[in-house]
Amino acid sequence: QVRLVESGGGLVQAGGSLRLSCVASGRTFSTHTTEWFRQAPGKERELVAQITSAGNTNYAVSVKERFTISRDNAKNTVYLQMNSLKPEDTAVYYCRAGFSFWGQGTQVTVSS
């Protein structure tokens, strides 16, 4: 009965910002590692950010210092703040919890 729902994607110009949200029901993010992945057409799915139950974070080199993953335990929500967006960030973004539960994905398109 675990459900993850992503939102916040859209169309943005290069250099702009978006904040993605992933809301969970049936579990709490505070006790599980939660991750953001992305996948562009014709490319493999890529891990971009991770936050552990202890609050430790990890980022792909390509997004480090531009993206920030965070968690609001009271709202059972994980966020991905994306700044200084580039056209190569264009992809469908997915959240994953506990290494096994996936959301439906949200499209991010960055225009040049």
Side-chain angles (χ1 to χ4, degrees):
Q1 286 292 92
V2 176
R3 295 181 179 181
L4 306 177
V5 180
E6 297 112 324
S7 62
L11 175 64
V12 65
Q13 292 184 329
S17 299
L18 286 172
R19 189 176 74 162
L20 306 184
S21 300
C22 180
V23 181
S25 62
R27 67 185 296 159
T28 57
F29 281 134
S30 63
T31 59
H32 297 85
T33 295
T34 305
E35 299 157 308
W36 285 97
F37 288 77
R38 67 186 182 188
Q39 187 167 26
K43 296 187 176 181
E44 64 186 20
R45 189 166 294 188
E46 173 191 22
L47 175 65
V48 299
Q50 178 188 73
I51 185 167
T52 70
S53 60
N56 299 314
T57 58
N58 296 290
Y59 300 93
V61 172
S62 60
V63 307
K64 194 171 184 179
E65 299 184 3
R66 297 190 298 120
F67 291 10
T68 303
I69 187 170
S70 62
R71 179 175 61 229
D72 186 331
N73 292 333
K75 297 181 179 179
N76 208 24
T77 301
V78 171
Y79 303 97
L80 185 67
Q81 178 67 47
M82 305 185 294
N83 298 325
S84 301
L85 283 162
K86 304 174 181 179
E88 51 263 44
D89 295 319
T90 295
V92 177
Y93 284 71
Y94 302 88
C95 65
R96 185 177 75 170
F99 306 108
S100 60
F101 299 101
W102 293 88
Q104 82 287 350
T106 185
Q107 176 71 48
V108 172
T109 303
V110 184
S111 64
S112 60

